[in-house]
């Protein structure tokens, strides 16, 4: 049976560092990164798109790890002037997008387009306005960028721009050219990737029974909201609602892929210790994240066994 291998990365801001370190650990356990080169499709949302696009560009897990550790503070750098302008984060995004854009341009290349990458890629974003000239069809909608062949291919789109679109997390960054973070509907892009490879318009689509899919999370916190009846308005729901959406859609995608693929699906999704929280912009906790991801508190053994048995 021919294998069609999909590697999927969740969103999660600086917690993408966890995913990068897990890739390193898996490679060490297998004594090679060759398993990564077998991926036919790399899918990623938000920070996961940086991992997917970076791997497709030829970056190693170690280089991706260094990106978070060396430049995370630069990306999530907030100034007193910005706080003054957005009235202490009430009327504006937490961070500007200029530094993030600079990092993405340098990492993925000024002129690199999706069609130039070495592998198929898929990146969910959300288009706030499709600008359709017909008022009856003008709306917001999910948008999935990919470099598969066909009339709907986004191969001509610059890779760094796609990364900007999908990392524009509401309240954290401004929208970018009308797009916001794909995590609002697909923080775990596994199901989007599975649907893409089963698109009947694609002549070379694999049989569903040939698809194997490894989904890697960025770590989740054991958080909850107390109370059975919350009489909250916009101000109270703004920040928690973003986290609720991202976490909820990730779990739904896991359930759907498990039901469709069975043993051919594997999810590696670390859970942080009780009482420990790591926000999307938690750059001060990068050393803690690195220590956690590298420790035996995350048992990668079952995933390494799955890769040997199913992926390879």
């Amino acid at each position: 049976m021919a294998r069609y291998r999909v590697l999927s990365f969740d969103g999660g801001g600086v917690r993408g560092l966890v995913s990068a370190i897990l890739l390193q650990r898996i490679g060490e356990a297998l004594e090679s990164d060759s398993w990564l080169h077998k991926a036919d499709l790399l899918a990623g949302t938000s920070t996961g798109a940086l991992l997917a696009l970076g791997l497709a560009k030829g970056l190693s897990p170690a280089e991706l790890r260094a990106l978070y550790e060396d430049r995370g503070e630069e990306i999530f750098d907030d100034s007193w002037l910005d706080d003054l302008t957005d009235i202490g984060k009430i009327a504006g995004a937490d961070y500007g997008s200029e530094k993030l854009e600079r990092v993405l341009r340098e990492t993925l290349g000024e002129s690199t387009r999706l069609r130039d990458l070495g592998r198929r890629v898929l990146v969910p974003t959300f288009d706030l306005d499709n600008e359709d000239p017909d008022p009856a069809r003008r709306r917001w909608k999910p948008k999935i960028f990919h470099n598969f062949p066909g009339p709907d291919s986004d191969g001509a789109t610059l890779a760094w721009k796609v990364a900007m679109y999908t990392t524009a997390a509401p309240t954290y960054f401004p929208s970018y050219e009308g797009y916001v973070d794909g995590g609002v509907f697909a923080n775990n892009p596994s199901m989007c990737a599975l649907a893409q490879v089963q698109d009947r318009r694609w002549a070379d689509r694999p049989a569903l029974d040939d698809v194997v899919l490894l989904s890697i999370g960025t770590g989740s916190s054991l958080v909850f909201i107390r109370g059975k009846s919350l009489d909250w308005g916009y101000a109270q729901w703004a920040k928690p609602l973003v986290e609720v959406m991202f976490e909820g859609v990730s779990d739904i995608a896991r359930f759907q892929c498990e039901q469709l693929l069975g043993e051919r699906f594997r999810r590696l999704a670390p859970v942080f210790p009780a009482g420990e929280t790591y926000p999307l912009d938690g750059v001060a906790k990068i050393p803690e994240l690195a220590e956690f991801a590298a420790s035996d508190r995350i048992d990668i053994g079952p995933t390494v066994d799955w890769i040997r048995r199913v992926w390879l």
Side-chain angles (χ1 to χ4, degrees):
M1 179 175 65
R3 286 280 192 263
Y4 188 95
R5 301 170 179 87
V6 180
L7 183 56
S8 173
F9 298 102
D10 285 16
V14 296
R15 299 197 304 262
L17 171 63
V18 173
S19 302
I21 293 175
L22 290 177
L23 290 180
Q24 277 189 291
R25 290 181 60 193
I26 291 171
E28 291 166 2
L30 294 170
E31 299 182 337
S32 171
D33 279 336
S34 61
W35 73 278
L36 276 174
H37 306 317
K38 292 182 179 293
D40 297 286
L41 170 61
L42 296 162
T45 298
S46 195
T47 197
L50 177 55
L51 296 171
L53 294 169
L55 289 172
K57 182 82 164 48
L59 298 179
S60 68
E63 289 173 313
L64 291 169
R65 172 181 181 169
L67 187 63
Y68 288 95
E69 293 180 322
D70 297 342
R71 307 197 71 176
E73 290 187 6
E74 177 183 347
I75 292 170
F76 292 101
D77 180 29
D78 200 12
S79 68
W80 67 268
L81 181 59
D82 179 65
D83 281 350
L84 182 64
T85 303
D86 61 27
I87 319 176
K89 307 184 189 304
I90 295 175
D94 284 355
Y95 308 99
S97 49
E98 296 82 6
K99 294 175 182 178
L100 173 61
E101 180 179 323
R102 180 169 63 242
V103 170
L104 293 176
R105 282 176 180 265
E106 293 173 4
T107 302
L108 299 175
E110 286 278 354
S111 59
T112 303
R113 301 183 186 275
L114 296 187
R115 66 187 175 209
D116 301 326
L117 298 174
R119 247 91 60 83
R120 297 276 184 255
V121 293
L122 177 143
V123 177
T125 65
F126 195 88
D127 186 356
L128 295 176
D129 181 1
N130 66 5
E131 298 182 337
D132 196 297
D134 181 354
R137 301 178 63 182
R138 186 171 182 177
R139 54 168 298 185
W140 58 22
K141 63 181 180 65
K143 165 63 181 173
I144 297 175
F145 284 87
H146 66 80
N147 60 358
F148 282 73
D152 66 335
S153 177
D154 302 293
T157 309
L158 291 167
W160 70 262
K161 280 203 171 189
V162 173
M164 284 296 296
Y165 299 156
T166 191
T167 51
T171 76
Y172 289 92
F173 290 103
S175 62
Y176 194 85
E177 295 186 352
Y179 292 95
V180 294
D181 197 321
V184 300
F185 76 95
N187 197 52
N188 171 356
S190 298
M191 193 61 198
C192 293
L194 184 56
Q196 179 66 39
V197 301
Q198 291 299 289
D199 189 336
R200 296 182 183 276
R201 296 172 297 176
W202 183 34
D204 296 327
R205 72 181 183 278
L208 183 62
D209 289 344
D210 293 339
V211 178
V212 297
L213 200 160
L214 175 59
S215 172
I216 299 181
T218 58
S220 59
S221 300
L222 296 170
V223 296
F224 52 88
I225 299 176
R226 296 182 183 275
K228 300 296 184 182
S229 179
L230 300 173
D231 188 17
W232 285 4
Y234 296 124
Q236 297 98 328
W237 270 116
K239 266 299 173 63
L241 191 57
V242 172
E243 298 287 351
V244 167
M245 284 191 304
F246 287 5
E247 190 80 21
V249 296
S250 292
D251 283 345
I252 287 296
R254 172 196 55 76
F255 169 75
Q256 292 167 328
C257 288
E258 282 179 348
Q259 296 299 107
L260 290 170
L261 297 178
E263 171 64 12
R264 288 174 288 109
F265 174 76
R266 178 74 189 174
R267 172 81 168 155
L268 178 56
V271 177
F272 299 122
E276 296 292 336
T277 58
Y278 297 90
L280 304 183
D281 58 348
V283 291
K285 292 189 173 184
I286 282 179
E288 291 178 36
L289 281 170
E291 180 185 2
F292 172 74
S295 74
D296 58 10
R297 286 178 288 178
I298 305 177
D299 183 7
I300 65 167
T303 298
V304 171
D305 290 342
W306 179 90
I307 291 172
R308 288 194 175 108
R309 287 186 297 103
V310 181
W311 181 275
L312 297 176

